[in-house]
Amino acid sequence: NAGVTQTPKFRILKIGQSMTLQCTQDMNHNYMYWYRQDPGMGLKLIYYSVGAGITDKGEVPNGYNVSRSTTEDFPLRLELAAPSQTSVYFCASSQDRGPYGYTFGSGTRLTVV
Amino acid sequence: GNSVTQMEGPVTLSEEAFLTINCTYTATGYPSLFWYVQYPGEGLQLLLKATKADDKGSNKGFEATYRKETTSFHLEKGSVQVSDSAVYFCAIVSGSARQLTFGSGTQLTVLP
């Protein structure tokens, strides 16, 4: 039972480079989310999706893009990386209904230099 | 919008001490309430939850009661262990997209 799988675990980018953070879940959850966690802070929602083909902005979407072509995958794209995007990124998924929490991936630690 | 306010950290306790981490929230409607725990270098794990007023969530000796009248969901444990050292996040979920809103987290260190 893999749950939510994120790759890579660590990455160093130079300013202006681009990359895609991968997220896959095998629980058939329709709802998926991307959060970033800055040191000493809580998690901020970047983007979310309520199903394949449907995405929407969260609290801090600038500098990021997402797509959701399948139920399983929800990649996060960083274009023109900036030092302000240095953070730990978490992907999560959730069931559609009921008082359930999220299942989180183990995170991607990104440093932009 | 929704918001969660957590007790400022860090918190340092001796083993077997009593733990309280305060959490209050503002939300429209009737949110579900959660506590998550994050061990060093790991993702967040659900610790406990409550879905209606006066519900008590419990797990691994931790408890929290959904208090609608005070909009609070304080985390407690009667006797902490070194292995409880982690960051604890209070969170609420509401809305059709079930977006979780997190508090800023409380770092707990338990000394032997």
Side-chain angles (χ1 to χ4, degrees):
Chain A
N1 185 8
V4 178
T5 302
Q6 286 183 243
T7 57
K9 293 190 181 300
F10 304 94
R11 184 71 185 268
I12 298 174
L13 279 182
K14 294 184 178 179
I15 294 172
Q17 287 185 321
S18 301
M19 76 164 294
T20 299
L21 281 66
Q22 302 292 344
C23 176
T24 299
Q25 53 94 7
D26 62 357
M27 296 169 287
N28 202 34
H29 287 170
N30 280 326
Y31 289 20
M32 295 188 74
Y33 311 84
W34 275 105
Y35 284 85
R36 60 177 285 172
Q37 182 181 28
D38 298 322
M41 306 290 287
L43 280 73
K44 302 292 186 183
L45 181 64
I46 305 172
Y47 270 95
Y48 66 95
S49 169
V50 299
I54 306 170
T55 62
D56 208 346
K57 295 178 181 179
E59 185 180 358
V60 290
N62 291 344
Y64 307 94
N65 276 300
V66 294
S67 59
R68 186 91 182 274
S69 57
T70 66
T71 299
E72 295 78 18
D73 300 310
F74 190 41
L76 178 71
R77 179 79 177 165
L78 279 72
E79 304 281 2
L80 299 175
S84 61
Q85 293 178 304
T86 294
S87 190
V88 181
Y89 292 83
F90 289 101
C91 179
S93 70
S94 170
Q95 293 178 298
D96 298 10
R97 294 177 177 81
Y100 303 107
Y102 292 6
T103 300
F104 281 87
S106 57
T108 295
R109 185 175 296 276
L110 175 68
T111 302
V112 182
V113 296
Chain B
N2 298 339
S3 67
V4 178
T5 302
Q6 252 183 267
M7 185 174 84
E8 293 285 333
V11 174
T12 302
L13 296 173
S14 298
E15 204 165 25
E16 299 184 2
F18 184 85
L19 169 71
T20 299
I21 301 177
N22 290 338
C23 172
T24 58
Y25 66 90
T26 58
T28 55
Y30 218 135
S32 295
L33 310 179
F34 302 85
W35 278 99
Y36 281 84
V37 58
Q38 184 179 30
Y39 298 102
E42 299 184 11
L44 279 73
Q45 302 174 25
L46 179 63
L47 180 61
L48 53 83
K49 66 180 186 289
T51 60
K52 60 183 186 294
D54 300 324
D55 260 4
K56 178 183 284 188
S58 62
N59 186 25
K60 299 181 181 179
F62 291 90
E63 294 183 339
T65 301
Y66 192 146
R67 300 291 188 197
K68 187 167 176 59
E69 65 276 11
T70 55
T71 62
S72 65
F73 193 53
H74 305 321
L75 182 68
E76 297 182 336
K77 186 173 185 181
S79 176
V80 293
Q81 305 300 311
V82 172
S83 58
D84 294 327
S85 297
V87 181
Y88 292 83
F89 292 92
C90 184
I92 65 174
V93 66
S94 65
S96 59
R98 298 181 50 74
Q99 300 168 37
L100 264 176
T101 300
F102 287 89
S104 57
T106 301
Q107 172 77 54
L108 169 67
T109 301
V110 180
L111 303 175

